[in-house]
Amino acid sequence: MTKLSPVQEILKQFWGYEEFRPLQADAIEATLQARDSLVVLPTGGGKSVCYQIPALVRQQLTVVVSPLISLMKDQVDALRSLGVKAAALNSSIPANAQQAAFEQWQAGQLRLLYVAPERLLTDSLLERLRQHPPALFAIDEAHCISSWGHDFRPEYRMLASLKNHFPTIPIAAYTATATPEVRDDIVRQLQLENPVVLVGDFHRANLTYHVQRRQDGYNQICSVMDRYRGQAGIIYTIARNHAEQLSEYLNRLGYKTLPYHARLSEQEKTKHQEALEQDEVEAIVATIAFGMGIDKSNVRYVIHAEMPRSIENYQQESGRAGRDGLPAECWLLYSASDLMAWERIIQQSSDEQRTRARASLKSVEQFCHGLTCRHQYLAQYFGQSFNPPCNACDVCLGKLAAVAEPLRISQMILSCVWRCNENFGVGHIAKVLFGSREAKLVQFGHQELSTFGLLKEHTQRQIRDWIEQLLSQGFLERAGEYHVLHLTAAGREVLRGEQTPILVQTVKASPGTTSLQVFDSWEGVDRELFEQLRQLRRELATEAQVAAFIVFSDATLRDLARRRPTRRDLLLSVHGIGERKAADYGERVMQLIRQWCIERNIPSDLTLSNVSRSDGHSLDSKPIKSNAIAAFPLFEEGLSVEQVAERLGRANSTVHEYLITYIKQHDITDSSRWVEPSVANKIRIAAQYTDNDRLRPLFEAFHGKIPYEILRITLACQSVENTHLGHNRYLGGTPD
Ligand code: ADP
Ligand code: ZN
């Protein structure tokens, strides 16, 4: 075995990690040489140890400026759990705890002191800092000092005079998102002298990016969540009411989620955040307000249910997935209506901010519509290069393809809009192009149009998707109360062949490709034991009053469930277990494992070489209700639910579920094949007066005379129709 360097020694002894991540060692070296530095590492890159390790090596104090109280709390908890003396000074810390911190500081025992920026340069603290100067000022989230960045905080501006007060103490600035301009601005503002600038690789290889147009957004969200039941995720929305509604809806479907936005009280925010950290809920549905304070390393997916406000935001928010280095997925679902929602928010800001905000959104739009590797796009945005394929994004995985004749298809769509006198919405235009025989078309004589059925070889969903693509590229716009489609000047240019839009289509995925890597990383892991350990982790966390991930990361749990250590020396070789963790939790963990192995008569204390592939229970992959698809052609033929049930040998109730899926997936608005139109009419009217997300009140409104099945079919068609009309839930959005 090679001898460890002193800093590696500390990494191993306190954190239980074998190796440094990229640039960590360089960053530590710069600080130990008392140089100023700017360290740009992506979220999860491991910035904290860059300033924590020097404090331990030199046994001197490092003062850390951090913008959020919750962030400080997590860091201090995490350090204490490793046996490091750390404290925070902010408005939430009681006076006696602050006094204790001052005493440790004076006695030279304190290693890390977290301070809010507005507190740092108060007279009283300046006085203490002069008497007992720290060896380093570490500025976390340093981009907050730059008004060029996406997260400017005025209180950070005060840090500009830090160098004047303490010209000889080095400053190290850390950030996860900084374009080259913002980087220069940070160096200038903090007056860094000849700084060591370290910019990490923004390519987060463990993240797989998917960008999709939002269709029935909830289904897209659910299918990601289904693959990660019992594990943690974050879902972002634009506005606070969207977060509330989506969270409520997911709960009704049986997922456990909580909302998070700026209008919640401080207690509620803390409670909801802790619920995620303690694994009491599987996801938080949040606005942009959520995140800075979240340090949870085992977030397995981040879903943007709506467009993020900038690429910087996207990089930071999606970067909260997989901070433990294990595979995680990032999904971005977008629609043209998101731009409208942001526009309403942008309207409220100053002229200068508005220009900048629109430019930021433009980049997000480009990212969404583009056909470049997602990892490459992000790397380039932050001034780096990356050579695709990444094998970890929808583009490189071959899930998206450019349409062969984008101009011809765009012209068909635009001329159809024109021929319908610019008087109809997305759904109707798609039906005309598809050649639907629905009553409403015939009523307007649209089956006579030259564009009728021009795209009949494609699905209605695909056609609608293309219309949406034309909308978001500005060739069409929605107008009026009913959101009818109008051609824009650019759209007319397309009709004249002077411009060609980009149109993409989704390629049918072969099953399992998205989560391939997830399965890999479970290799050799005893799944059931993992669950038991997770349970134990929850108990340990509750007892210690810290977040679950502070006790052990998921990676550590997997490694435990893989190697099943029952001896201390082997325990210390587990990823993420250092001496303090072994001392604090080791006995309980080993006891559980010992018992587990005895009861099942399976070997313990495996070394990596004898952890076999077959040994682990594989992660069961639940296929997403594909049975329903078999029923679709039969519905298409016009068979009734009962007939389909008989053909497929399934219960009526099951086939009924398939029918609802069919209606949604095929955008059926006309329920007359299953429900008498006059009855449907009554239901639709009554639904306006009852809580429309619940069936029971409606059922009761008809004194139980109309069966639930009929109610559901009618409402499913109605809901498809509402989406077509553009009656979407985004119209009343308010920020945060
Ligand atoms: P950042 O602040 O850059 O987003 P953190 O400092 O919170 O990232 O680190 C993210 C996670 O990675 C933490 O759980 C941390 O303990 C872990 N980590 C840091 N350095 C290493 C390393 N060298 N090896 C393994 N894990 C590490
Ligand atoms: Zn790629």
Side-chain angles (χ1 to χ4, degrees), residues 64-329:
V64 188
V65 178
S66 177
L68 287 186
I69 291 174
S70 53
L71 200 75
M72 295 185 202
K73 180 179 179 306
D74 276 347
Q75 293 273 0
V76 170
D77 281 353
L79 284 165
R80 288 182 179 161
S81 84
L82 301 174
V84 177
K85 286 218 165 49
L89 295 179
N90 61 49
S91 54
S92 79
I93 307 286
N96 56 346
Q98 302 211 15
Q99 193 49 43
F102 288 139
E103 280 161 22
Q104 283 191 341
W105 179 2
Q106 249 152 14
Q109 291 168 343
L110 198 62
R111 296 292 163 258
L112 289 132
L113 179 66
Y114 287 79
V115 185
E118 60 275 17
R119 182 78 185 265
L120 184 68
L121 298 172
T122 54
D123 290 341
S124 66
L125 208 59
L126 277 176
E127 194 46 43
R128 283 180 199 273
L129 286 165
R130 287 204 183 93
Q131 279 171 11
H132 301 278
L136 174 74
F137 287 109
I139 316 292
D140 205 4
E141 311 287 357
H143 60 275
C144 294
I145 202 172
S146 172
S147 60
W148 294 76
H150 64 292
D151 198 16
F152 173 59
R153 288 169 181 252
E155 65 274 20
Y156 260 66
R157 268 293 152 82
M158 293 186 242
L159 300 175
S161 64
L162 192 56
K163 245 325 176 218
N164 304 340
H165 288 288
F166 303 100
T168 56
I169 300 180
I171 299 180
Y174 302 87
T175 174
T177 44
T179 55
E181 302 81 64
V182 173
R183 265 175 236 159
D184 291 345
D185 202 26
I186 295 173
V187 170
R188 218 173 15 246
Q189 300 279 346
L190 287 174
Q191 307 184 52
L192 301 187
E193 278 167 30
N194 184 23
V196 175
V197 178
L198 298 166
V199 181
D201 193 351
F202 273 83
H203 175 219
R204 298 269 316 272
N206 63 322
L207 302 187
T208 302
Y209 293 100
H210 298 268
V211 182
Q212 278 185 1
R213 197 166 295 277
R214 187 172 60 245
Q215 302 192 313
D216 40 3
Y218 294 146
N219 268 344
Q220 288 165 297
I221 292 167
C222 295
S223 69
V224 177
M225 294 182 81
D226 283 344
R227 282 186 283 112
Y228 293 97
R229 288 321 294 267
Q231 303 192 64
I234 305 174
I235 303 170
Y236 280 102
T237 64
I238 296 175
R240 105 186 111 83
N241 51 342
H242 308 176
E244 293 272 358
Q245 289 161 7
L246 180 54
S247 172
E248 198 185 313
Y249 182 82
L250 290 170
N251 284 324
R252 243 183 270 149
L253 290 180
Y255 303 94
K256 276 179 84 175
T257 73
L258 279 171
Y260 190 105
H261 51 73
R263 293 289 179 88
L264 295 179
S265 68
E266 286 307 318
Q267 287 106 307
E268 284 171 310
K269 282 193 221 165
T270 313
K271 208 175 100 208
H272 292 193
Q273 179 167 335
E274 282 177 0
L276 185 73
E277 288 173 353
Q278 305 286 8
D279 292 331
E280 287 157 18
V281 292
E282 48 196 312
I284 288 285
V285 186
T287 61
I288 207 166
F290 179 71
M292 262 260 219
I294 176 102
D295 222 353
K296 189 173 173 63
S297 67
N298 57 348
V299 171
R300 294 273 67 85
Y301 59 89
V302 170
I303 303 173
H304 280 78
E306 298 165 351
M307 268 186 184
R309 140 170 108 179
S310 68
I311 293 292
E312 284 90 339
N313 277 95
Y314 185 62
Q315 204 261 348
Q316 190 148 67
E317 288 157 9
S318 64
R320 296 195 172 110
R323 292 178 73 162
D324 51 12
L326 298 175
E329 294 181 29

Side-chain angles (χ1 to χ4, degrees), residues 373-375 388-393 396:
C373 165
R374 312 292 178 189
H375 282 278
C390 67
N391 288 326
C393 82
C396 295

Side-chain angles (χ1 to χ4, degrees), residues 56 210 321 385 394 435 590 593 617 623 644 647 720 736:
L56 296 177
H210 298 268
S385 66
D394 49 355
M590 291 190 290
I593 294 174
H617 303 245
V644 175
R647 268 294 173 93
V720 173
D736 294 5

Side-chain angles (χ1 to χ4, degrees), residues 211-216 220 334-336 369 399-401 403 409 413 426-427 429-430 433 455 458-473 476 478 502-507 667 724:
V211 182
Q212 278 185 1
R213 197 166 295 277
R214 187 172 60 245
Q215 302 192 313
D216 40 3
Q220 288 165 297
Y334 68 99
S335 144
H369 296 147
K399 291 172 188 285
L400 286 182
V403 165
I409 290 182
I413 293 170
V426 177
I429 300 297
L433 287 159
L455 292 174
H458 302 280
T459 61
Q460 278 190 56
R461 167 167 298 229
Q462 178 66 75
I463 302 170
R464 286 185 48 185
D465 195 28
W466 284 329
I467 299 176
E468 288 279 343
Q469 294 180 33
L470 293 174
L471 269 164
S472 44
Q473 291 169 65
L476 283 172
R478 288 190 166 95
I502 298 172
L503 291 184
V504 297
Q505 69 192 61
T506 313
V507 178
D667 298 321
H724 289 193

